[in-house]
Structure formats: C-alpha cells, structure tokens
Amino acid sequence: MKIILLEDVKALGKKGEIVDVSDGYARNMILPKKLGVEATAKNLNDLKLQKANAEKVAQENLDAARAFAKDLEDKEVVLTLKVGEGGRTFGSISSKEISDAVKEQLNLEIDKKKLQLPNPIKTLGVTNVPVRLHPKVTGSLKVWVKEEN
C-alpha cells in the first residue's frame, strides 16, 4: 500500500514522502496514529499543492532577507566605551548591546543570536558585524565604537 507520510517516521521516511508499506502495517500503525494517509489521487494533489506553497513561502522569505541585508549595509550604529590612559578600553561591546542599540537607533529588530560576533568588540573605530538573516543570506552592519566622554 502506498502511503504519504504526514510526520517523520523513524526507519521509514520523512514528512511528505510517498512510501510503500505492507497493508497490515498501514492499517494497524500508520493510519490509526495519523502518521500518514493513503496515497489517493486527491491526497497526491494536496501534497503537490502543499509543496508548491512551501516553496513559494521559502522564496518570499529568501527575497525578504536579501532586501533587508541590502538595506542593512547602509545603516550604522554608534556605541561608546570608557577609555583610560594610553587608549586602553574598559569593558567590551557584546552582541546584546549591539542588538539593543539597533533597536533604539534604527528602530529595527535584530536578534542578538543572528549577530555573528566571534568575540566582543574591545577596540575603538568601525567594525563590520556579519548578521545571519537567512541560512543563505548574511548581511553586514557597521558598528562605530567611540570614546565615552
């Protein structure tokens, strides 16, 4: 019997796949637990429409992320650090502080987890911080670190 899986089933397949199983396994395991439905013409058409819709949504998300990344490249955020004698800085600037500054200065929401800052910023000047907006799209944000008066 051909079955369209509605959920991932260990050792059988992933959601959306069409698998061939024995009639007893389908009647006693897959169908009662709503792990899959029988692969009729209507169900196959529904699966095709769902896949097309999912691809369309994924493409829209990718396009939105690309547009946001392009918009983000023109923006910059200014933060301050205390500086002692000889230009030594006290403390550092973390991704949380950058995220808060973006929200305050630019009115944009960027999750601190999306900022790919390997180490906190401990120097004055401009730093380009990569921002992971989508698995395929990474933008860049300019962060100015100035001396606190």
Side-chain angles (χ1 to χ4, degrees), residues 9-143:
V9 179
K10 191 174 182 179
L12 192 57
K14 301 233 180 252
K15 178 181 178 179
E17 286 184 7
I18 300 170
V19 294
D20 202 9
V21 297
S22 68
D23 291 351
Y25 185 59
R27 275 194 312 271
N28 296 323
M29 176 70 175
I30 303 293
L31 298 176
K33 292 188 176 184
K34 306 232 186 304
L35 298 175
V37 292
E38 194 172 345
T40 61
K42 179 192 176 301
N43 290 338
L44 288 170
N45 191 32
D46 289 346
L47 176 67
K48 189 169 79 171
L49 291 173
Q50 286 175 353
K51 284 186 177 181
N53 187 34
E55 287 177 15
K56 181 182 173 190
V57 169
Q59 185 62 40
E60 287 174 357
N61 288 343
L62 180 63
D63 293 342
R66 284 187 178 140
F68 189 63
K70 190 170 187 163
D71 185 42
L72 200 62
E73 286 179 10
D74 303 334
K75 311 265 186 203
E76 56 187 46
V77 176
V78 179
L79 294 164
T80 59
L81 266 179
K82 284 189 176 182
V83 179
E85 290 182 26
R88 261 191 82 157
T89 59
F90 295 110
S92 61
I93 294 177
S94 67
S95 57
K96 171 133 177 55
E97 291 171 304
I98 296 171
S99 175
D100 292 343
V102 167
K103 185 174 183 178
E104 184 181 306
Q105 295 174 20
L106 305 175
N107 292 326
L108 296 174
E109 289 285 334
I110 296 181
D111 188 13
K112 68 177 185 174
K113 294 174 188 160
K114 291 184 178 184
L115 297 170
Q116 295 185 315
L117 195 62
N119 297 316
I121 301 171
K122 296 182 180 186
T123 58
L124 299 177
V126 180
T127 305
N128 283 325
V129 178
V131 182
R132 186 83 165 184
L133 301 169
H134 187 273
K136 296 178 182 176
V137 179
T138 301
S140 180
L141 175 69
K142 283 185 185 173
V143 178

